[in-house]
Structure formats: structure tokens, C-alpha cells
């Protein structure tokens, strides 16, 4: 015969013991089988800059061991071997192994995360845009079935690079219908970070004080940097407040002409800076997106990510479109309640049209190559 309080105490003690056993089992399993990270086009500078960010524990957690697989064509085998050797010599405690792969048939085996960095070198004086889109289509048509066949069912795919980030994600989704659509994203963080840094320099504040800048549309094509919801913290003005005191960013920029002539124009400083980046910025963007995906984005902040449109903000369905999201509990969610004005809605329509045309051209090219649907 036990008193109810004693029974509750024993039950609580048993529960804590059970949770500790479960936690220990999970830790042992993670040590036995590390997370498998695959990176395509791994000879690129982005990959070189990305490896230390993945291996230092900040992205997946300080108790999660990882194995990195570098995938590229045979002509880059020597480059991949050099990267492997250098990464091994850095002796990251959480990097269980790093391997190079040049055989496409062994790609994505047991993959937990796949980072697609494949790019095409755009020169419209040499080839038409349609030909470049066809190159991207052929790459994705090879990758998607292999991901379905070899990767884990919950694999997460991130599309990055300097060209066709949205289209690559859309085509992998199209040619790999069993891959969960919510597990495929395109990274817009490079533009978001560069925009915040440019605004911070203009306003003479810390970059950390610029929040909620939204990147809409085609990440590596025609996109729109939306400052309507942007906030500014720590501005050195006549009015001061606590650390969480914020002001609308647009109210602090008195030179509105600068926004259109320098900041947002096709030849402006922002587009020029992103275009000249050699690897550090996009690598940081991929690492940040993964960190948010696994551990959540800062509470209350807007993050721009290319995700499958389901008609949010009147964007047509079926395309990967960069829009405002938040990450929580291992998944992302579009911030649907965000209000947009008529001008922004008109711009979104034009951006969506561009992405739809890219997709149509890509599917047309593949159909012409394989008229009976083989391969």
C-alpha cells in the first residue's frame, strides 16, 4: 500500500530513467551510423568553403557525427582527392569520414542531406538560354531517380549555386516524384545576407540590426528584395529604447532614390556584390539554411527560402518560388499572414511567369530528347 504522492514520485523517477536510456540509445546509434551528407559538383569553391562549416558541429549539433561524400566527374578526381586529404588533416572531431566519388551509379547512397551545387557557365553570346536550361534538365533527370533509389526516404535536398537554383529544385521534384516536396528547398540566404549588409552600411548600423528583408522569386534570376516589412534595431538616433526596440527600416532611409538607383537596380551594388562572390557567401548561406532546418530559425524572424508554391500570395502552384518562411521543429512553414501591397503583387506575378517559362522550356527539352519517356 503506497500513498499517491509516493507513487507519483516513483512514476516520475521511472520516466526520467526511461528517457535517459532512450537518449543514450540514440547517442550510441548516432555514433555507430553518422549522418550522410552528399555534395554534388564538389570541386567548386562553394564546396571547399562549406566543408569546415558542416564539420565544426554548428550546423547539425555538437554531438552529431557526419560523413561527407564529394561527388563530381572523373576529370576532377585529383581536385576531390586534395580536398579529402586537407579535410582529413584538419582532424574535425565530428567528421567521421570524407570520401570522393566519380561514379554516378553510387551517388547518394543512404543520403540524409544532398546539397546540389551544379552550375552552368552562362554566356548568352555563345549559347541560347534554352540550351543552358537543357543542360540543367539533363543533370536533374540523372540525379532525381538516383535520389529516389539510393537516398533515405526522409532525405533533404538543398539547391544552391549561381545559376538556376529554383529550376534545379523544381526539376528534381518533377523527376523524383517520391521525394517529399517539403524536403526540397532552394537557398536564398546569400541575397538576404548581402542585402542586410548593404543596408547596414548605408545606415551605419551593425548588420545584425537589420531584420526581415524578404527575397521573392527566382533566387539566381530575377528576384525582388522587399523592404516593406524590414526592421531596424540599434539605430543611433534621437529616440532610444531597450534591445528589442525596433523601427521600420524604410522610415530610416531618407534617400529613397538610392533604393531604386543603387540598391535594387540591375546594375546596383547589391547585384554586383552577389555576382562577384567566389564561395564564402553561398557556402555560409547553405550552412545557415541547414542549421535553421535542423534547429529552427530565430523566433519571430523572417527567412527567405525557395519552396514549392501552393498558391500562397497568389503565386501559381508547381514552381519553387522564394518567399518568407520560418523554421521550427525540423520543418519550415510559409508565413501566409504577411501582407503585401499591390505593387509587390504585380512584381510577384512577373517573377512567377519567368519561373514558369523556365520550367516549360526544361520539360519541353527533355520531351524532345526522350520522345517516348525512356530514362
Amino acid at each position: 500500500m503506497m500513498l499517491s504522492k509516493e507513487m507519483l514520485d516513483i512514476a516520475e523517477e521511472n520516466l526520467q530513467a526511461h528517457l535517459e536510456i532512450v537518449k543514450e540509445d540514440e547517442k550510441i546509434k548516432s555514433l555507430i551510423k553518422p549522418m550522410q551528407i552528399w555534395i554534388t559538383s564538389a570541386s567548386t569553391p562553394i564546396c571547399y568553403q562549406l566543408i569546415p562549416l558542416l564539420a565544426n558541429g554548428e550546423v547539425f549539433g555538437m554531438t552529431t557525427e557526419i560523413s561527407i561524400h564529394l561527388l563530381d566527374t572523373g576529370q576532377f578526381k585529383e581536385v576531390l582527392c586534395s580536398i579529402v586529404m586537407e579535410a582529413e588533416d584538419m582532424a574535425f572531431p565530428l567528421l567521421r569520414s570524407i570520401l570522393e566519388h566519380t561514379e554516378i551509379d553510387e551517388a547518394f547512397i543512404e543520403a540524409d542531406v544532398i546539397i546540389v551545387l551544379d552550375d552552368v557557365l552562362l554566356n548568352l553570346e555563345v549559347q541560347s538560354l534554352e540550351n543552358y536550361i537543357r543542360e540543367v534538365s539533363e543533370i536533374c533527370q540523372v540525379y532525381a531517380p538516383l535520389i529516389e533509389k539510393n537516398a533515405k526516404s526522409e532525405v533533404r535536398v538543398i539547391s544552391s549555386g549561381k545559376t538556376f537554383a529554383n529550376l534545379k529544385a523544381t526539376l528534381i521534384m518533377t523527376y523524383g516524384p517520391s521525394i517529399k516536396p517539403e524536403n526540397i528547398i532552394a537557398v536564398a540566404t546569400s541575397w538576404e545576407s548581402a542585402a542586410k549588409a548593404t543596408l547596414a552600411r548605408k545606415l551605419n548600423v551593425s548588420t545584425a540590426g537589420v531584420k526581415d528583408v524578404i527575397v521573392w522569386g527566382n533566387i539566381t534570376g530575377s528576384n525582388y528584395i522587399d523592404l516593406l516589412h524590414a526592421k531596424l534595431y540599434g539605430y543611433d538616433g534621437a529616440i532610444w529604447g531597450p534591445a528589442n526596440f525596433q523601427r521600420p527600416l524604410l522610415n530610416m532611409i531618407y534617400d529613397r532614390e538610392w533604393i531604386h538607383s543603387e540598391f535594387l537596380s540591375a546594375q546596383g551594388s547589391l547585384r554586383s556584390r552577389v555576382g562577384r562572390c567566389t564561395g564564402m557567401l553561398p557556402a555560409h548561406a547553405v550552412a545557415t539554411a541547414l542549421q535553421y532546418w535542423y534547429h529552427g530559425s530565430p523566433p519571430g524572424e523572417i527567412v527567405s527560402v525557395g519552396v514549392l508554391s501552393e498558391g500562397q500570395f497568389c503565386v501559381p502552384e508547381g514552381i519553387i518560388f522564394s518567399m518568407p518562411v520560418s523554421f521550427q521543429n525540423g520543418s519550415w512553414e510559409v508565413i501566409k499572414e504577411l501582407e503585401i501591397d499591390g505593387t509587390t503583387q504585380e512584381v510577384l506575378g512577373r517573377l512567377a511567369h519567368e519561373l514558369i517559362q523556365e520550367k516549360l522550356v526544361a520539360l519541353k527539352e527533355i520531351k524532345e530528347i526522350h520522345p517516348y519517356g525512356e530514362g
Side-chain angles (χ1 to χ4, degrees):
M1 297 292 290
M2 291 187 180
L3 298 176
S4 59
K5 185 178 184 306
E6 292 177 323
M7 294 177 68
L8 289 172
D9 290 342
I10 292 170
E12 178 64 24
E13 185 179 340
N14 289 342
L15 176 61
Q16 291 303 318
H18 173 71
L19 292 176
E20 287 176 10
I21 292 171
V22 170
K23 187 176 180 180
E24 186 177 350
D25 288 343
E26 289 177 352
K27 184 177 180 180
I28 292 171
K29 287 178 182 178
S30 69
L31 291 174
I32 294 172
K33 200 165 188 180
M35 180 178 287
Q36 305 295 316
I37 316 297
W38 283 77
I39 306 175
T40 72
S41 196
S43 62
T44 61
I46 300 176
C47 177
Y48 185 79
Q49 301 283 351
L50 179 60
I51 289 171
L53 301 178
L54 298 177
N56 66 13
E58 293 183 9
V59 173
F60 300 108
M62 300 305 294
T63 59
T64 303
E65 290 194 347
I66 64 172
S67 288
I68 297 177
H69 301 264
L70 308 178
L71 177 66
D72 215 319
T73 58
Q75 70 184 100
F76 296 107
K77 184 176 179 65
E78 189 174 337
V79 176
L80 297 185
C81 290
S82 298
I83 296 173
V84 167
M85 181 180 66
E86 191 169 350
E88 288 175 342
D89 288 347
M90 293 181 75
F92 291 105
L94 296 173
L95 182 59
R96 175 75 69 84
S97 64
I98 179 165
L99 304 169
E100 48 88 12
H101 302 270
T102 55
E103 297 296 330
I104 191 65
D105 291 340
E106 64 186 35
F108 313 129
I109 293 176
E110 291 296 300
D112 293 288
V113 174
I114 297 171
I115 303 167
V116 180
L117 300 181
D118 297 73
D119 265 328
V120 293
L121 186 60
L122 285 178
N123 186 346
L124 297 180
E125 295 180 359
V126 176
Q127 286 194 72
S128 66
L129 184 62
E130 288 76 11
N131 285 337
Y132 288 116
I133 291 176
R134 180 171 61 187
E135 288 183 36
V136 175
S137 300
E138 291 171 348
I139 292 169
C140 294
Q141 200 183 28
V142 171
Y143 284 169
L146 287 170
I147 294 172
E148 288 184 303
K149 177 184 175 183
N150 294 338
K152 293 179 181 176
S153 60
E154 294 294 327
V155 64
R156 299 182 182 187
V157 181
I158 286 188
S159 174
S160 185
K162 288 189 174 183
T163 57
F164 299 110
N166 294 56
L167 182 63
K168 286 182 290 189
T170 299
L171 292 177
I172 289 173
M173 193 177 297
T174 302
Y175 296 121
S178 69
I179 307 170
K180 294 184 177 181
E182 63 270 22
N183 283 4
I184 303 176
I185 67 172
V187 176
T189 321
S190 294
W191 282 94
E192 191 177 308
S193 299
K196 289 177 179 179
T198 302
L199 291 164
R201 284 191 297 271
K202 177 68 175 177
L203 294 167
N204 195 28
V205 297
S206 167
T207 305
V210 182
K211 308 286 187 183
D212 298 347
V213 174
I214 302 173
V215 181
W216 296 96
N218 192 352
I219 296 164
T220 50
S222 298
N223 56 45
Y224 174 59
I225 311 298
D226 183 3
L227 304 181
L228 192 62
H229 303 276
K231 301 179 183 67
L232 191 63
Y233 294 81
Y235 182 71
D236 187 9
I239 303 174
W240 278 80
N244 62 350
F245 176 66
Q246 50 87 8
R247 311 178 193 196
L249 184 141
L250 282 176
N251 290 356
M252 301 295 105
I253 300 179
Y254 303 108
D255 184 5
R256 293 302 180 92
E257 182 61 30
W258 173 85
I259 295 177
H260 300 285
S261 63
E262 281 291 321
F263 183 67
L264 296 179
S265 70
Q267 293 78 33
S269 58
L270 176 61
R271 192 165 295 274
S272 174
R273 293 178 73 89
V274 175
R276 291 200 308 269
C277 66
T278 57
M280 194 182 302
L281 178 60
H284 176 264
V286 171
T288 300
L290 276 171
Q291 184 181 27
Y292 288 170
W293 209 346
Y294 278 86
H295 301 290
S297 54
E301 287 190 26
I302 294 173
V303 181
S304 301
V305 178
V307 298
L308 180 65
S309 172
E310 297 179 346
Q312 304 97 329
F313 308 107
C314 299
V315 174
E317 298 180 11
I319 55 174
I320 296 289
F321 195 90
S322 181
M323 57 181 73
V325 308
S326 62
F327 288 91
Q328 192 174 7
N329 299 324
S331 62
W332 53 264
E333 184 177 358
V334 176
I335 306 175
K336 300 176 183 178
E337 62 273 15
L338 205 68
E339 294 184 5
I340 58 175
D341 58 18
T343 302
T344 302
Q345 189 67 69
E346 185 180 341
V347 172
L348 298 192
R350 293 200 301 269
L351 300 180
H353 178 74
E354 178 184 285
L355 287 167
I356 291 169
Q357 292 305 306
E358 281 188 0
K359 182 180 178 181
L360 290 174
V361 170
L363 297 178
K364 176 177 179 291
E365 294 291 354
I366 290 294
K367 187 176 180 181
E368 287 176 355
I369 296 168
H370 302 293
Y372 302 105
E374 306 98 319

